[in-house]
Amino acid sequence: MPAPDENPEGTAVFTTAYAVLPARTMRDIVTSYLPGWRDTRFWVIARPLTGFAETFAQYAVEVEPHGGSDAPEPDDQAQAVLFVTEGEMDLIIDGLSHTLTAGGYAYIPAGTTWQVLNPGHAPLKFHWIRKRWQPAAGIDRPDAFVTTEKAQPVRWMPGTDKWGTTRFVDPADLRHDCHVNIVTFLPGGQIPFAETHVMEHGLYVLQGTARYLLNKDWVEVGPGDFMWLRAFCPQACIATGDEPFRYLLYKDVNRHVGLSL
């Protein structure tokens, strides 16, 4: 907790188009403890909200040594993406064991049996993104896979070597109805126009600083800050500082738009 006399004014924002959850808001008093998990606490930083962003939930997870879960997901329609930021994870998917450290990434299809354990002596920290997989005619469910950030190249945008994306899934693979990527801006890199599109976004800052345009507002963001954008919210980015600006990005893709309200 901050000191009792600290100025409570901060930079957290919640609007009809976007939300910003600064790292300093993620205190002990806003954690959740969830059924089926041992010695684990969760910061729920995104959840479906009618009239806002409706497709996904995102948790920042901290697991104490020897903590974890033998049955982490209560919804058999929910797929998962896990991204490790600190510590060591033992991940078992359909009986196969994997070890993940910082930068480790796993995709787990809906209906899969999986378990998580922290085998180390320090806390395990990771992001868990949950989305109900949306079936489509002639489309099979994706396969589970485990990889690392370092095993994937940064694919730079046309005409620049300062703005690029680390993709863990082929964008043309229609089995996947969401992508969780890492976006990187080198110092001086920027999005040179205000993007606006149907995809919802969750953006968790992994490294560096930037000025980020959200709707009509420029906000200053840094490590541990989370931005949550509903569909069609204009956005742009200008990296600041002397190190890369990097964030974990969620977006929904590859499905028809539902026509019921």
Side-chain angles (χ1 to χ4, degrees), residues 88-111:
E88 183 178 348
M89 173 189 289
D90 276 352
L91 174 64
I92 300 172
I93 304 174
D94 283 338
L96 296 177
S97 182
H98 309 269
T99 299
L100 285 73
T101 55
Y105 183 108
Y107 172 78
I108 304 170

Side-chain angles (χ1 to χ4, degrees), residues 238-258:
I238 301 174
T240 57
D242 299 324
E243 63 178 327
F245 175 64
R246 302 167 59 247
Y247 55 81
L248 190 70
L249 170 72
Y250 162 88
K251 62 180 178 181
D252 50 310
V253 296
N254 295 344
R255 292 296 185 270
H256 283 290
V257 175

Side-chain angles (χ1 to χ4, degrees), residues 35-78:
W37 286 80
R38 305 178 304 278
D39 300 322
T40 303
R41 57 183 183 167
F42 301 80
W43 286 262
V44 179
I45 55 178
R47 55 159 292 176
L49 291 178
T50 300
F52 193 70
E54 302 181 352
T55 62
F56 76 109
Q58 185 163 343
Y59 304 161
V61 186
E62 183 178 272
V63 186
E64 294 301 318
H66 310 298
S69 178
D70 296 324
E73 178 55 71
D75 186 342
D76 63 6
Q77 299 180 58

Side-chain angles (χ1 to χ4, degrees), residues 92-161:
I92 300 172
I93 304 174
D94 283 338
L96 296 177
S97 182
H98 309 269
T99 299
L100 285 73
T101 55
Y105 183 108
Y107 172 78
I108 304 170
T112 301
T113 299
W114 56 287
Q115 296 88 35
V116 171
L117 174 69
N118 176 3
H121 301 289
L124 161 66
K125 298 182 181 181
F126 67 97
H127 281 265
W128 177 13
I129 295 171
R130 304 171 62 225
K131 179 185 183 297
R132 284 189 169 180
W133 186 70
Q134 185 177 345
I139 303 294
D140 295 329
R141 289 190 182 186
D143 299 322
F145 67 87
V146 174
T147 185
T148 68
E149 175 188 354
K150 292 181 179 179
Q152 310 301 324
V154 178
R155 302 183 185 276
W156 301 105
M157 297 293 286
T160 181
D161 59 358

